[in-house]
Amino acid sequence: MIKLDNQGPIAIVTINRAERRNALGSQLMRDLNAALADSERNDAIGAVVLTGAPPAFCAGSDLKELAGLSIADMCKHEAETATFARAIGYRAKPVIAAVEGYALGGGMILAASCDIVVAASNARWHLPEAPNGWLPPWGLTALLTRVGPVRARRLTWGAASIDTIEAARIGLVDDVAEPGAALSLATEIAGGLSKVPREAVASTKRFFDRFIMADAERLDEVSSREFASNCETPSSQKTFERFTVKS
């Protein structure tokens, strides 16, 4: 479910689960964590590009999997995903998201958690969690850092999706590419970063992480508790029932 392709000093990590729209299931998250850890340990690698197999970057959590779990187990799975996303901010090497198609739910938050976000101009961004009946259980600090609390709140309500042009305007996306060119632009940016002395790149990340990651772990705990409470409501149960029937 994960492809790791080392191209000189750049590691290209691809979420390769197209049949499930690159949804973040438990095994996929373990494999993704292993791929980024491998790149972190590899002295030949200077930067990582994270992308998704067509047609999209990532559709978020695997609701078919979650629908079969208890609320406690759902929270455990989402907490493990939260730990992975927070770790991006603490890794020594920059991680650049390359987004095509769409980034939904946890996929949108995963992209926002990366150090740099590159996206095709026609990509779609949406947090459908609140319409499904619950607060996103992790990663809202990344959204807050990028767009500020007022915009983050509106995005979290999820009443409508936005395109990359709007996402770039509000700070969710850093660099806009032509459709089909997000990976090549992200790889170009990664190449430039890989030429900067490694310790200087790592020192820069360490200096800024106190501002970018401030209170992230505690806030993930807060959102996880809200998520657990929300999952007991009729609207959430109705959402999970839809996915249980389809599975």
Side-chain angles (χ1 to χ4, degrees):
M1 290 185 282
I2 300 295
K3 290 170 57 180
L4 176 59
D5 179 20
N6 292 339
Q7 299 184 5
I10 303 164
I12 298 178
V13 178
T14 304
I15 303 172
N16 189 36
R17 199 189 181 198
E19 74 282 359
R20 292 289 298 126
R21 302 189 302 160
N22 298 328
L24 303 175
S26 298
Q27 186 60 51
L28 185 146
M29 289 310 305
R30 286 191 286 269
D31 294 347
L32 184 56
N33 184 60
L36 262 69
D38 180 77
S39 298
E40 187 78 356
R41 290 190 298 265
N42 189 339
D43 291 339
I45 297 300
V48 177
V49 174
L50 177 61
T51 192
F57 178 73
C58 176
S61 295
D62 188 340
L63 292 184
K64 283 190 176 182
E65 179 180 340
L66 290 184
L69 301 176
S70 67
I71 292 176
D73 285 340
M74 279 193 280
C75 290
K76 181 176 182 293
H77 165 70
E78 296 294 340
E80 290 169 354
T81 306
T83 299
F84 169 83
R86 288 197 307 271
I88 291 174
Y90 298 118
R91 294 183 185 276
K93 298 172 185 179
V95 180
I96 303 160
V99 177
E100 296 274 358
Y102 49 80
L104 308 180
M108 174 171 154
I109 298 297
L110 178 60
S113 299
C114 292
D115 299 301
I116 298 173
V117 180
V118 178
S121 59
N122 62 346
R124 184 165 62 93
W125 303 78
H126 188 216
L127 292 177
E129 285 88 345
N132 281 335
W134 56 81
L135 179 76
W138 57 272
L140 291 176
T141 300
L143 194 62
L144 282 160
T145 301
R146 284 186 165 273
V147 306
V150 173
R151 286 196 175 108
R153 181 181 60 188
R154 185 170 182 181
L155 289 170
T156 304
W157 278 329
S161 63
I162 61 173
D163 62 17
T164 290
I165 303 305
E166 175 64 7
R169 186 186 72 81
I170 64 176
L172 178 60
V173 168
D174 299 300
D175 293 83
V176 179
E178 293 295 321
L183 179 57
S184 61
L185 178 56
T187 303
E188 180 183 336
I189 293 169
L193 286 170
S194 70
K195 295 175 183 176
V196 179
R198 303 285 168 80
E199 185 50 42
V201 170
S203 293
T204 301
K205 286 199 67 172
R206 285 194 295 269
F207 176 85
F208 283 101
D209 71 34
R210 73 199 71 184
F211 305 104
I212 295 170
M213 304 298 294
D215 217 19
E217 185 172 3
R218 186 188 69 83
L219 290 176
D220 278 347
E221 288 289 333
V222 171
S223 59
S224 180
R225 289 196 297 270
E226 293 290 342
F227 168 74
S229 177
N230 291 158
C231 283
E232 297 177 346
T233 64
S235 57
S236 296
Q237 290 299 316
K238 188 176 295 184
T239 297
F240 288 126
E241 285 169 8
R242 290 204 316 269
F243 285 90
T244 302
V245 169
K246 290 179 180 180
S247 59

